[in-house]
Amino acid sequence: MWRRVIGNVAVRRQIQRALSSKAGGSGKAGDVSAAVDSMLLRSLKEHYLEVSKMTPPPKVSPPSPFEIVKGSLEGTGAVLKKSVGNEEISLFVMRLAHGGDEEDDDGINQLFLHVAVAKQNQADSLHFLCGLYPDALGIHSVSMRPKLEDLELSDDSSRYTGPSFEELDEKMRDVFHGFLEDRGVNESLFPFLQAWLYVKDHRNLLRWFKSVGTYVHENPSAENA
């Protein structure tokens, strides 16, 4: 979806012609810089308007009793949380790296899910790094780490966090999957998290077009200043 919006070959060719004119001495440096700035601002505005008109996905509610964390669309913290007994379960999500044709332009078909299971009066919590798909959830790793506030794990190479998940025997891997399933962490989360990521991507892209446009408008090229 986003690649289709920003992949404007005609604009790139216009800029290349302007820069070639500048290099060949057929145009004043300030005029060429102003033309490039103008093309960039026009392109940013056109794409901003196009993205702003995109139809959002249908509203989806998360599976009960998970609750949406207030302000999660604006930051890198947890998206969903729920408390059960002395446990607090926090879910962080992001796109998996694009893998060729597995994800089409109009959908998010695979997600990176970070599950943190924290207990009261415990400094560390149990962390699961998972791949979430429309019909399955796969665990990539399990580790004990400090409690997490946002989607950035400290990379302390001196701290042992556990074996590779694939090194565990099949029975233990199945039990860990059951541990998450018992807490409602499974493929039923996919529709909500997919729609949530779409909205977050949409907001981030609009914000990016606007901030870059403001910067170029208020800080013209040096040769044009």
Side-chain angles (χ1 to χ4, degrees):
M1 174 179 61
W2 311 128
R3 285 173 291 165
R4 183 176 66 246
V5 170
I6 63 177
N8 194 320
V9 176
V11 172
R12 293 201 298 269
R13 287 176 177 171
Q14 281 183 298
I15 294 174
Q16 288 168 354
R17 285 196 296 270
L19 293 176
S20 296
S21 173
K22 176 180 176 181
S26 59
K28 293 182 180 179
D31 293 342
V32 172
S33 295
V36 171
D37 284 2
S38 178
M39 282 188 285
L40 179 55
L41 288 170
R42 184 168 60 252
S43 181
L44 287 167
K45 182 178 180 180
E46 290 171 354
H47 287 106
Y48 180 93
L49 292 174
E50 184 174 352
V51 172
S52 67
K53 294 175 182 176
M54 287 182 174
T55 303
K59 188 174 181 179
V60 181
S61 298
S64 179
F66 281 104
E67 296 182 350
I68 303 170
V69 177
K70 185 178 180 180
S72 57
L73 282 168
E74 308 304 325
T76 59
V79 178
L80 297 175
K81 283 190 177 184
K82 76 172 182 178
S83 296
V84 180
N86 68 335
E87 285 186 355
E88 182 180 69
I89 302 165
S90 303
L91 305 182
F92 305 76
V93 67
M94 63 183 295
R95 285 174 179 261
L96 279 174
H98 187 267
D101 295 332
E102 292 182 7
E103 178 183 322
D104 61 37
D105 278 350
D106 296 307
I108 303 172
N109 299 320
Q110 48 186 345
L111 307 176
F112 170 83
L113 183 66
H114 184 146
V115 184
V117 182
K119 293 194 176 185
Q120 297 173 7
N121 303 319
Q122 296 275 347
D124 287 352
S125 50
L126 193 57
H127 295 263
F128 296 82
L129 303 184
C130 309
L132 180 62
Y133 307 89
D135 57 354
L137 178 140
I139 299 174
H140 297 308
S141 69
V142 183
S143 60
M144 290 296 299
R145 294 178 181 268
K147 291 181 178 179
L148 190 65
E149 296 298 330
D150 56 34
L151 199 54
E152 290 186 10
L153 287 176
S154 59
D155 188 14
D156 184 357
S157 58
S158 65
R159 180 187 175 102
Y160 179 73
T161 57
S164 165
F165 191 70
E166 293 304 316
E167 292 176 1
L168 302 176
D169 63 42
E170 184 177 358
K171 181 178 179 180
M172 182 171 287
R173 294 199 301 268
D174 288 344
V175 172
F176 272 125
H177 277 98
F179 179 90
L180 291 182
E181 178 72 34
D182 186 53
R183 287 156 177 78
V185 181
N186 52 40
E187 63 272 16
S188 68
L189 292 162
F190 187 89
F192 169 79
L193 293 175
Q194 181 190 46
W196 183 90
L197 265 181
Y198 181 101
V199 173
K200 186 177 180 69
D201 283 353
H202 185 266
R203 288 191 180 189
N204 285 341
L205 190 55
L206 287 175
R207 188 181 296 116
W208 183 84
F209 285 138
K210 186 174 182 179
S211 61
V212 174
T214 299
Y215 174 84
V216 173
H217 177 72
E218 296 179 353
N219 301 274
S221 300
E223 293 174 340
N224 186 37

